[in-house]
Amino acid sequence: MRKTGKTKALYAGSFDPITRGHLDIIGKALMTFDAVHVAIGANPKKRRAFSVADSQRLITGSIIEHWPEARAADAADPRLFDGVLEVSEYVDQGLIAYARKIGATHIVRGLREASDFHDEFNLHGVAARIDPTISMVHFICEAPFLHVSSSTAKELAAVGEDISWLVMPCVEQAFARQRG
């Protein structure tokens, strides 16, 4: 069995907010797949710090801050890396249904610690039952990002701690605006 055609990875999450760990996974996906689609999903179990629209702007801003070459030559062009990287949302639909809708060949997931494995193992099994043609790929974060999470960023930002090691400057500024 061999790869046929172009690959497109879906990297989905709440990204509330996007962290340097998320950027690490996006970078690995960009080096592995022909196209990458980052999609924000809303987890009803979690209260969002930022709206989905704000999260989209923060993802795009963080990507451009981290990789200035991602920005199109024309500032009005919303595409990143000449259209190789897309940022969108998938509210009110399942992950596999959304993957099919955008033509994803793979779903990318990040692993930080051993406890992530259990949840990801279950998701992998369910996803494979729903659509075995969409492969799930897991990337392990680089060591500096193993303890980085959106929850940690929110908790530290709420008490005024430095979060520059967790998030990009545009996210820091968004939290500062919330604090007033």
Side-chain angles (χ1 to χ4, degrees), residues 49-73:
F50 298 101
S51 70
V52 171
D54 286 341
S55 290
Q56 272 187 271
R57 284 189 287 279
L58 292 173
I59 290 169
T60 300
S62 292
I63 288 167
I64 290 169
E65 285 177 349
H66 192 64
W67 297 292
E69 68 276 17
R71 183 187 306 261

